[in-house]
């Protein structure tokens, strides 16, 4: 999500910045801008829309200067607009900043800076950076940036230029990627390697807590405390197609590995120090929340499976009846809706035709609609009464992964907020849930470290034509998503069943060697799940279990076990789905399927 480029050298900067931004278009964006140090001042040009709009604006009036930074923005704070596009400047337009990520404490910083006399022009968190650096600037840009960084909370990568230091670009990384490109008498900066490859293959990968200073003569890297850092030069041998995938063979695998960052970003700013959830986009008053009598969740495909998790979580934390419907069926059952119904629509793109139709029906009948979506300014986000944005960043692969886990996370946040407002859960219970959510990014990273084990597991599926996923409670919701992933990209027939239903007919399909993936993460259903596993083992199925660390006795009942980090069982679905995503990916690769573009499928379904 979002792209950064920078240049210092003897060439004209603007064409280099624009070319670099073109190489980052695959990341997705809704506005673009550049700033060039031009004749002793900053020349800033930024426009909503695609890069062609920016290029048209610059046609015939390209700023002349040999130092600059550029940006493509994926809106998070503030709608897509010229004003909210990057770069952002300080009060006197002496300092310009481009930024990826989220400044979690931007609101108190903004208020403090306004008290100091700073005037803001945009709705973004990024503008805080330019004013904060201005506040501390005393003739040394590096020192001002270091001082500013000590006051920031959140995840970010940003680059800064200053009129008073016309041959310098200063860049900082924390959680969001930044790469330095090394040339002869010139140096480059980018948020991803593709933007550098037409100029250099010699790079330095910045790590968290590092600040780089780029000049014509070279690049110096420091810690945020000011100590010099020795960096290894990395020679890029990938071709451009591989570079766009950050070295991963497919976008799907890259996006699976981006899930820790996506979860962290979606959670950022939404949990207070006491563990309470704050969803600033949801404008429901306490009185309106208490008046809700029923919740309806509406979505399609993978988003519907996120809704199935959300249904159970909302019922447990809010203590209201919750329905979950496939959007294409919702309208045609003539649902009972009124002003006491809260309808939650979930859509990655925000343009899903069936989900939009369900949203409009709900509003026509007086229901309040909350949208969970990944795209600021999408139709769903504009037409809903309230929005909870997921910050997964653009998904390129058709099969959704990081969008799914952030949708599930958004449902936890919504449920915790509503539950507290209605008094259904105590502050301590809410804090326990949000503490578990905060641990998820690192725990997902731990699960990803076991990818080689899952890849070997996938070998056993290559020549199979049928696979079964079983689970109970929240695990059944995850089983349905695991089943969908496997069949949509590997073309292996897969079915998901509530394990308690096996004896009602499904056991007829279990024969010798049939793969069964059994999810067992819920303590209150664990013993019953073990009994269901024994039922399929008695028919000679080949069973792989996915369970939480500590459930060692399950190993006696199955052929293989994948252990997940211990967590609050309510949030276990986020961890449990990761090995299933990897299983689908590796099975598809080994069967020679087109992983990123499976047959007959589209990323965004904009027709009914």
């Amino acid at each position: 999500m979002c792209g950064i480029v920078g240049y210092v050298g003897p060439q004209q900067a603007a064409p280099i910045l624009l070319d670099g931004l073109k190489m980052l278009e695959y990341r997705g964006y809704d506005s673009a801008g550049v700033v060039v140090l031009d004749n002793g001042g900053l020349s800033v040009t930024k426009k909503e829309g695609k890069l062609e709009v920016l290029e048209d604006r610059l046609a015939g009036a390209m700023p002349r200067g040999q130092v600059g930074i550029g940006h493509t923005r994926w809106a998070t704070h503030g709608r897509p607009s010229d004003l909210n596009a990057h770069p952002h400047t300080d009060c006197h337009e002496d300092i310009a900043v481009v930024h990826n990520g989220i400044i979690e404490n931007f609101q108190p910083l903004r208020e403090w800076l306004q008290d100091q006399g700073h005037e803001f022009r945009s709705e973004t968190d990024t503008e805080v950076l330019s004013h904060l650096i201005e506040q501390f600037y005393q003739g040394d840009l590096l020192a001002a940036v270091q001082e500013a960084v000590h006051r920031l909370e959140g995840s970010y990568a940003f680059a800064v230029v200053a009129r008073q230091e016309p041959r310098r670009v200063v860049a900082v990384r924390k959680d969001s990627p930044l790469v330095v490109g090394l040339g002869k008498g010139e140096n480059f900066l980018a948020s991803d390697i593709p933007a550098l490859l037409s100029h250099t293959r010699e790079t330095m990968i910045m790590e968290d807590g590092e600040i780089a200073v780029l000049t014509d003569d070279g690049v110096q890297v420091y810690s945020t405390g000011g100590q010099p850092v020795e960096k290894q030069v990395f020679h890029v041998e990938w071709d451009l197609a591989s570079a766009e995938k950050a070295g991963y063979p497919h976008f799907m695998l890259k996006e699976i590995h981006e899930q820790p960052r996506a979860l962290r970003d979606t959670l950022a700013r939404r949990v207070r120090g006491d563990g309470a959830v704050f969803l600033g986009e949801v404008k429901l008053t306490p009185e309106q929340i208490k008046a809700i009598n029923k919740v309806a969740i509406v979505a399609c495909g993978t988003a519907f499976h996120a809704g199935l998790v959300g249904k159970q979580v909302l019922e447990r934390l809010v203590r209201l009846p919750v329905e979950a419907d496939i959007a294409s069926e919702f309208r045609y059952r003539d649902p009972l809706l009124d002003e006491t119904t809260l309808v939650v629509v979930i859509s990655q793109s925000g343009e899903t035709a069936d989900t939009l139709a369900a949203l409009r029906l709900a509003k026509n009948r007086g229901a309040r609609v909350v949208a969970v979506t990944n795209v600021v300014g999408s139709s769903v986000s504009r037409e809903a009464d309230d929005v909870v944005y997921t910050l997964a960043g653009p998904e390129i692969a058709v099969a959704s992964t990081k969008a799914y886990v952030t949708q599930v996370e958004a449902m936890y946040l919504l449920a915790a907020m509503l539950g507290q407002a209605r008094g259904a859960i105590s502050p301590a219970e809410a804090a326990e849930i949000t503490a578990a959510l905060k641990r998820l990014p690192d725990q997902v990273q731990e699960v990803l470290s076991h990818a080689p084990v899952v890849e070997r597991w996938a070998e056993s599926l290559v020549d199979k034509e049928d696979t079964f996923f079983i689970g109970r409670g929240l695990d059944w919701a995850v089983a349905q998503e695991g089943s969908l992933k496997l069949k949509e990209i590997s073309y292996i027939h897969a079915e998901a069943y509530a394990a308690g239903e096996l004896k009602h007919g499904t056991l007829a399909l279990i024969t010798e060697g049939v793969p069964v993936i059994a999810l067992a993460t819920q303590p209150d259903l664990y013993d019953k799940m073990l009994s269901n596993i024994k039922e399929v083992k008695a028919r000679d199925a080949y069973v792989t279990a996915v369970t939480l660390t500590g459930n060692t006795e399950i190993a006696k009942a199955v052929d293989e076990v994948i252990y997940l980090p211990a967590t609050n069982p309510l949030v276990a679905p986020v961890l449990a789905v990761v090995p299933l995503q990897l299983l689908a990916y590796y099975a598809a690769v080994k069967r020679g399927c087109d992983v990123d573009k499976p047959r007959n499928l589209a990323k965004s379904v904009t027709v009914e």
Side-chain angles (χ1 to χ4, degrees), residues 38-68:
D38 184 3
N39 295 322
L42 301 183
S43 177
V44 177
T45 309
K46 53 185 186 174
K47 296 294 291 181
E48 179 187 354
K50 295 302 182 183
L51 273 170
E52 299 85 69
V53 179
L54 179 64
E55 289 178 309
D56 289 345
R57 175 67 179 80
L58 291 170
M62 191 75 73
R64 296 191 60 78
Q66 299 167 321
V67 177

Coordinates of all heavy atoms in Angstrom, one line a residue, residues 38-68:
D38 N 13.4 23.2 -6.5 CA 13.5 23.9 -7.8 C 13.8 25.4 -7.5 O 13.0 26.1 -6.9 CB 12.1 23.8 -8.4 CG 12.0 24.4 -9.8 OD1 13.1 24.9 -10.3 OD2 11.0 24.4 -10.4
N39 N 15.0 25.8 -8.0 CA 15.4 27.2 -7.9 C 15.3 27.8 -6.4 O 14.7 28.8 -6.2 CB 14.5 28.1 -8.8 CG 14.8 27.8 -10.3 OD1 15.9 27.5 -10.6 ND2 13.7 27.8 -11.1
G40 N 15.8 27.0 -5.5 CA 15.8 27.5 -4.1 C 14.5 27.3 -3.4 O 14.4 27.7 -2.2
G41 N 13.5 26.7 -3.9 CA 12.2 26.5 -3.3 C 11.7 25.1 -3.5 O 12.3 24.3 -4.2
L42 N 10.6 24.7 -3.0 CA 9.9 23.4 -3.2 C 8.8 23.6 -4.2 O 7.9 24.4 -4.0 CB 9.3 22.9 -1.9 CG 10.3 22.7 -0.7 CD1 9.5 22.1 0.5 CD2 11.5 21.8 -1.1
S43 N 8.9 22.8 -5.3 CA 7.8 22.8 -6.3 C 7.0 21.5 -6.1 O 7.5 20.4 -6.4 CB 8.5 22.8 -7.7 OG 7.4 22.7 -8.7
V44 N 5.8 21.6 -5.5 CA 4.9 20.5 -5.2 C 3.8 20.4 -6.2 O 3.1 21.4 -6.5 CB 4.3 20.7 -3.8 CG1 3.4 19.5 -3.4 CG2 5.4 20.8 -2.7
T45 N 3.6 19.2 -6.7 CA 2.5 18.9 -7.6 C 1.9 17.6 -7.2 O 2.6 16.6 -7.1 CB 2.9 18.8 -9.1 OG1 3.7 20.0 -9.4 CG2 1.7 18.8 -10.0
K46 N 0.5 17.6 -7.0 CA -0.1 16.4 -6.5 C -1.6 16.4 -7.0 O -2.2 17.5 -7.0 CB -0.1 16.3 -5.0 CG -0.5 17.5 -4.2 CD -0.3 17.2 -2.7 CE -0.9 18.3 -1.8 NZ -0.7 18.0 -0.4
K47 N -2.1 15.2 -7.4 CA -3.4 15.1 -8.0 C -4.1 13.8 -7.5 O -3.4 12.8 -7.5 CB -3.3 15.2 -9.5 CG -2.8 16.5 -10.1 CD -3.7 17.6 -9.9 CE -5.0 17.5 -10.6 NZ -5.9 18.7 -10.4
E48 N -5.4 13.9 -7.3 CA -6.2 12.7 -7.1 C -6.2 12.0 -8.5 O -6.2 12.6 -9.5 CB -7.6 13.1 -6.7 CG -8.5 11.9 -6.5 CD -9.9 12.3 -6.2 OE1 -10.2 13.5 -6.1 OE2 -10.8 11.4 -6.1
G49 N -6.3 10.6 -8.4 CA -6.4 9.8 -9.6 C -5.1 9.1 -9.9 O -4.2 9.0 -9.1
K50 N -5.0 8.6 -11.1 CA -3.9 7.8 -11.6 C -2.7 8.7 -12.0 O -2.8 9.9 -12.1 CB -4.3 6.9 -12.8 CG -5.3 5.9 -12.4 CD -4.8 5.0 -11.3 CE -5.8 3.9 -11.0 NZ -5.4 3.0 -9.8
L51 N -1.6 8.1 -12.2 CA -0.4 8.8 -12.5 C -0.5 9.7 -13.8 O 0.1 10.7 -13.9 CB 0.8 7.9 -12.7 CG 1.6 7.5 -11.4 CD1 2.6 6.4 -11.7 CD2 2.3 8.8 -10.9
E52 N -1.4 9.2 -14.7 CA -1.6 9.9 -16.0 C -2.1 11.4 -15.7 O -1.8 12.3 -16.4 CB -2.5 9.2 -16.9 CG -2.1 7.8 -17.3 CD -2.5 6.8 -16.4 OE1 -3.7 6.5 -16.2 OE2 -1.5 6.2 -15.7
V53 N -2.9 11.4 -14.6 CA -3.5 12.7 -14.3 C -2.4 13.7 -13.8 O -2.3 14.9 -14.1 CB -4.6 12.6 -13.2 CG1 -5.1 13.9 -12.8 CG2 -5.7 11.6 -13.6
L54 N -1.5 13.1 -13.0 CA -0.3 13.9 -12.5 C 0.6 14.3 -13.7 O 1.0 15.5 -13.8 CB 0.5 13.1 -11.5 CG 1.7 13.8 -10.9 CD1 1.4 15.1 -10.1 CD2 2.5 12.8 -10.0
E55 N 0.8 13.4 -14.6 CA 1.7 13.7 -15.7 C 1.0 14.7 -16.6 O 1.7 15.6 -17.1 CB 1.9 12.4 -16.5 CG 2.8 11.4 -15.8 CD 3.0 10.1 -16.6 OE1 2.0 9.5 -17.0 OE2 4.2 9.7 -16.8
D56 N -0.3 14.7 -16.8 CA -0.9 15.7 -17.6 C -0.8 17.1 -17.0 O -0.6 18.1 -17.6 CB -2.4 15.3 -17.8 CG -2.7 14.2 -18.7 OD1 -1.7 13.8 -19.4 OD2 -3.8 13.6 -18.7
R57 N -0.9 17.1 -15.6 CA -0.7 18.3 -14.9 C 0.7 18.9 -15.1 O 0.9 20.1 -15.2 CB -1.0 18.1 -13.4 CG -0.8 19.3 -12.5 CD -1.8 20.4 -12.8 NE -1.6 21.6 -12.0 CZ -0.7 22.5 -12.2 NH1 0.2 22.4 -13.2 NH2 -0.5 23.5 -11.3
L58 N 1.7 18.0 -15.2 CA 3.1 18.5 -15.3 C 3.5 18.7 -16.7 O 4.6 19.3 -17.0 CB 4.0 17.4 -14.7 CG 3.9 17.3 -13.2 CD1 4.7 16.0 -12.7 CD2 4.4 18.5 -12.5
A59 N 2.7 18.3 -17.7 CA 3.1 18.4 -19.1 C 3.3 19.9 -19.5 O 2.5 20.7 -19.2 CB 2.0 17.8 -20.0
G60 N 4.5 20.1 -20.0 CA 4.9 21.5 -20.4 C 5.3 22.3 -19.3 O 5.8 23.5 -19.5
A61 N 5.3 21.8 -18.0 CA 5.7 22.6 -16.9 C 6.4 21.8 -15.9 O 6.2 21.9 -14.7 CB 4.5 23.3 -16.3
M62 N 7.2 20.8 -16.4 CA 8.0 19.9 -15.5 C 8.9 20.7 -14.6 O 9.7 21.5 -15.1 CB 8.8 18.9 -16.4 CG 9.3 17.7 -15.6 SD 8.0 16.5 -15.1 CE 7.7 15.7 -16.7
P63 N 8.8 20.5 -13.3 CA 9.7 21.2 -12.4 C 11.2 20.8 -12.7 O 11.5 19.7 -12.9 CB 9.3 20.8 -11.0 CG 8.5 19.5 -11.2 CD 7.9 19.6 -12.6
R64 N 12.1 21.8 -12.6 CA 13.5 21.5 -12.9 C 14.2 21.5 -11.5 O 14.1 22.5 -10.8 CB 14.1 22.6 -13.8 CG 13.4 22.5 -15.2 CD 14.2 23.3 -16.2 NE 15.6 22.9 -16.4 CZ 16.0 21.8 -17.1 NH1 15.1 21.1 -17.7 NH2 17.3 21.5 -17.2
G65 N 14.9 20.5 -11.3 CA 15.7 20.3 -10.1 C 16.2 18.9 -10.0 O 15.7 18.0 -10.6
Q66 N 17.3 18.7 -9.2 CA 18.0 17.5 -9.2 C 17.8 16.7 -7.9 O 18.4 15.6 -7.7 CB 19.5 17.7 -9.4 CG 19.8 18.4 -10.7 CD 21.2 19.0 -10.8 OE1 21.7 19.5 -9.8 NE2 21.8 18.8 -12.0
V67 N 16.9 17.1 -7.1 CA 16.5 16.4 -5.8 C 15.0 16.4 -5.7 O 14.4 17.5 -5.9 CB 17.2 17.1 -4.6 CG1 16.8 16.4 -3.3 CG2 18.7 17.1 -4.8
G68 N 14.5 15.3 -5.3 CA 13.0 15.3 -5.1 C 12.6 13.9 -4.5 O 13.3 13.0 -4.4

